[in-house]
Amino acid sequence: MANVGLLFVGAVLFMNGLMLLGKVDSRAAAIFNLFVGGLQVLTPTYLIIAANNDPKRIMLASGIFLFGFTYLYVGIGLLIGLDTNGVGYYSLFVAIVALGYSFVSFRLVKDQPFGVIWLYWAFLWFLFFLLLGLKIETLTTYVGWVTAIEGWVTGVIPAYLLLTGYWVPANFSETAIALGAFGVLTFAALWFVLRRRSPHKPAQDYGTSGYPAGSHG
């Protein structure tokens, strides 16, 4: 059940990345955020109930709430025009807590690839904090691209491998190294390319609420 949710996490991250890049209307993206946010709240609730007080299973399921609440917060905020600083500072909380879940994946669960994936998410949610909490609007294009890429790398592809039985423990070390190298090289190269292309100009004109202009008007 969690793997199905992960698939749609990839979809909503891809959608949100395109929204930040100005390719998807923000109110249209808001609806999908609500769909996935609802799924990512119901799924861990069911998993925790079915865990029979198993601390490890409850711990793993609890992390899903971090993202479910993010998507609900974003969806509602886009629809009614909330200032972004609330979801921005919540994203800082998620980024910090994600480091703990990365440690759990590496040391307790022995799932090194998901340890790296949690680091991906910590990085992305920290970027959300910078963009939405501190409102560093020059990061919009970079955050949009990182969000869209992470939708596939941390959501769609791992979910597909898990659902089809190709997520093989024997290859965890190699997969973790490949994921780490891909993330560092891709996001560093993307940063330098975008900085050279447009070092000062924000990607979008932001309205008074902190969301892209026209997102709720």
Side-chain angles (χ1 to χ4, degrees):
M1 188 172 183
N3 298 336
V4 174
L6 183 62
L7 179 67
F8 287 97
V9 163
V12 77
L13 287 177
F14 180 62
M15 182 81 73
N16 288 345
L18 294 180
M19 177 186 68
L20 289 170
L21 294 171
K23 304 297 183 182
V24 173
D25 176 75
S26 53
R27 286 187 296 180
I31 302 300
F32 194 60
N33 273 270
L34 294 177
F35 289 157
V36 178
L39 176 65
Q40 293 299 88
V41 169
L42 292 175
T43 296
T45 300
Y46 168 80
L47 292 174
I48 288 172
I49 293 172
N52 293 321
N53 294 319
D54 183 329
K56 184 178 290 187
R57 291 171 64 187
I58 292 173
M59 177 68 181
L60 293 174
S62 66
I64 302 174
F65 284 115
L66 294 170
F67 308 115
F69 291 143
T70 298
Y71 306 132
L72 289 175
Y73 205 160
V74 169
I76 293 170
L78 288 170
L79 288 176
I80 67 176
L82 293 176
D83 191 285
T84 62
N85 59 4
V87 71
Y89 278 91
Y90 172 68
S91 296
L92 176 61
F93 168 81
V94 174
I96 295 170
V97 174
L99 296 176
Y101 281 95
S102 176
F103 175 82
V104 168
S105 293
F106 278 120
R107 296 298 299 273
L108 301 182
V109 184
K110 307 300 182 183
D111 189 338
Q112 293 90 350
F114 262 94
V116 176
I117 286 173
W118 275 104
L119 293 177
Y120 269 78
W121 288 332
F123 174 62
L124 179 59
W125 261 254
F126 183 71
L127 290 178
F128 290 155
F129 162 65
L130 296 179
L131 177 63
L132 303 176
L134 300 185
K135 301 187 180 180
I136 305 176
E137 297 170 10
T138 52
L139 290 174
T140 305
T141 300
Y142 180 73
V143 178
W145 278 108
V146 173
T147 305
I149 292 169
E150 286 209 16
W152 291 93
V153 176
T154 70
V156 177
I157 295 173
Y160 180 80
L161 293 175
L162 286 162
L163 290 168
T164 55
Y166 286 101
W167 193 260
V168 182
N171 299 328
F172 275 2
S173 296
E174 293 84 353
T175 302
I177 292 170
L179 278 170
F182 176 84
V184 171
L185 294 175
T186 300
F187 298 144
L190 181 63
W191 172 259
F192 286 111
V193 168
L194 293 177
R195 291 283 291 179
R196 291 188 62 181
R197 181 178 302 175
S198 181
H200 301 298
K201 183 180 177 182
Q204 296 191 46
D205 176 27
Y206 274 59
T208 57
S209 69
Y211 287 101
S215 65
H216 56 84

